[in-house]
Amino acid sequence: MSTHPTVLVIGGTAGTGKSTIGESLVNLLRLKYPNAQFLEGDRLHSKQNIEKMSNGIPLCDEDRWDWLERISTESTLSASANDGLCIITCSALKLKYRNYIIDKNPNTIFFFLMVYASPKEILMRLTRREGHFMKANMLNSQFADLELPINNQVEPHSRVVTVDGRLEHHVLLETFDVSFELLRSRSLKAQILEIFELYKDERNPCFNDKDFKNSLMLDLIINELSWVNVATIKSELHNLVMNDFLEEIQEGLEYKLR
Ligand SMILES: Nc1ncnc2c1ncn2[C@@H]1O[C@H](COP(=O)(O)OP(=O)(O)O)[C@@H](O)[C@H]1O
Ligand SMILES: O=C(O)[C@H](O)[C@@H](O)[C@H](O)[C@H](O)COP(=O)(O)O
């Protein structure tokens, strides 16, 4: 099994349907990952956070860091122990929160499936929802904090699914498709990481052989090109080190794409 566990974070403001979607989605994804677990991120909040939210006081950045770290680590542990995949809910409203989750466990591959519903829809749902600490009075602060990942260059590992006015099973089918697309792109990222790890091991005789590195990497990338978008590959390479290497890879890519 890969040394890089995969975590699918279902994000979005309170009331978008993260928990509802997560519970169903994990059952569908178990067709491929039979032991994958669904974790409810709300369970990882501290008592103080729950108390704050129950009193209608929005969390601030300082309240959230420890929680986000637990989200990152607990989901990583679960994925490592269960077929390499975990699905977890976490509002992950801001870009810096999503990056924090990623940074806390750099060996894990995190994807973010952000669910969006309009304030009008959320107001209706939170007013109706019973037995939850997050009430409709938190709606304004949630939308004030929300930064949807709209830029594919900055967040190639994230997608947005809009749920307004759609039937529950249509939303589920779309999130299922999007998840599979994300998990498919996982193999590329994991392979790139694994190959870089091989290079990083200086005892490996191939470490200093640039031609070997390039041909291996090119093969890897070209083989995946039919479905992965080039911007994603470039941005992964950027994230993953070796700028000199990156240039050569880009040249190779451009050549192959002609
Ligand atoms: N697609 C949907 N259409 C209508 N209502 C939904 C849908 N998904 C969830 N709900 C309802 O909206 C409320 C919030 O859903 P929940 O899954 O708890 O959201 P979150 O985990 O994002 O806070 C619940 O009462 C749930 O039954
Ligand atoms: O189900 C919900 O209503 C939300 O998932 C909610 O419980 C979430 O945990 C909070 O939104 C706390 O975090 P933020 O203030 O960072 O959204």
Side-chain angles (χ1 to χ4, degrees), residues 12-15 18-19 40-42 45 53 58-59 64 67-68 89-93 97 126 129 132-135 138 142 145:
T13 63
K18 300 183 293 295
S19 306
E40 177 56 73
D42 277 351
H45 272 302
M53 292 186 276
L59 300 182
R64 286 171 174 142
W67 173 54
L68 294 170
T89 54
C90 169
S91 44
L93 298 176
Y97 300 160
L126 291 189
R129 184 169 70 172
H132 197 285
F133 55 79
M134 204 78 177
K135 300 283 186 310
M138 303 285 265
Q142 288 274 297
D145 283 351

Side-chain angles (χ1 to χ4, degrees), residues 33-213:
Y33 305 85
N35 296 305
Q37 298 298 305
F38 166 65
L39 302 183
E40 177 56 73
D42 277 351
R43 297 235 170 92
L44 301 176
H45 272 302
S46 64
K47 262 194 196 155
Q48 293 91 312
N49 278 4
I50 303 266
E51 224 172 274
K52 230 176 148 176
M53 292 186 276
S54 309
N55 289 323
I57 306 167
L59 300 182
C60 59
D61 286 357
E62 287 63 40
D63 299 320
R64 286 171 174 142
W65 298 129
D66 286 352
W67 173 54
L68 294 170
E69 182 166 358
R70 282 194 288 277
I71 295 277
S72 176
T73 300
E74 292 298 319
S75 60
T76 293
L77 290 173
S78 169
S80 303
N82 299 292
D83 295 334
L85 178 71
C86 173
I87 297 166
I88 190 165
T89 54
C90 169
S91 44
L93 298 176
K94 301 183 188 177
L95 170 62
K96 66 181 177 185
Y97 300 160
R98 297 188 284 276
N99 285 340
Y100 192 76
I101 291 174
I102 293 169
D103 291 345
K104 283 291 148 188
N105 283 279
N107 257 337
T108 305
I109 295 167
F110 287 97
F111 292 118
F112 294 85
L113 196 164
M114 302 294 290
V115 189
Y116 176 82
S118 66
K120 195 173 154 206
E121 172 81 23
I122 295 291
L123 178 65
M124 200 170 65
R125 290 192 190 184
L126 291 189
T127 312
R128 275 197 214 133
R129 184 169 70 172
E130 286 175 4
H132 197 285
F133 55 79
M134 204 78 177
K135 300 283 186 310
N137 57 0
M138 303 285 265
L139 188 137
N140 288 344
S141 68
Q142 288 274 297
F143 278 92
D145 283 351
L146 179 63
E147 295 167 7
L148 284 177
I150 44 172
N151 188 332
N152 197 17
Q153 296 283 336
V154 178
E155 293 193 83
H157 46 275
S158 301
R159 298 284 183 280
V160 180
V161 170
T162 302
V163 302
D164 275 34
R166 300 178 63 194
L167 295 171
E168 209 160 321
H169 64 277
H170 286 168
V171 171
L172 182 62
L173 281 179
E174 188 181 345
T175 55
F176 182 61
D177 283 349
V178 172
S179 308
F180 253 97
E181 184 213 328
L182 287 171
L183 292 171
R184 199 153 147 63
S185 73
R186 180 222 169 271
S187 68
L188 175 70
K189 186 168 176 179
Q191 286 175 71
I192 291 177
L193 281 169
E194 275 153 20
I195 288 207
F196 273 127
E197 262 154 34
L198 184 76
Y199 296 149
K200 274 191 273 172
D201 183 352
E202 300 200 19
R203 286 161 306 178
N204 188 314
C206 301
F207 185 75
N208 289 317
D209 184 340
K210 255 193 168 175
D211 287 343
F212 172 80
K213 281 199 293 196

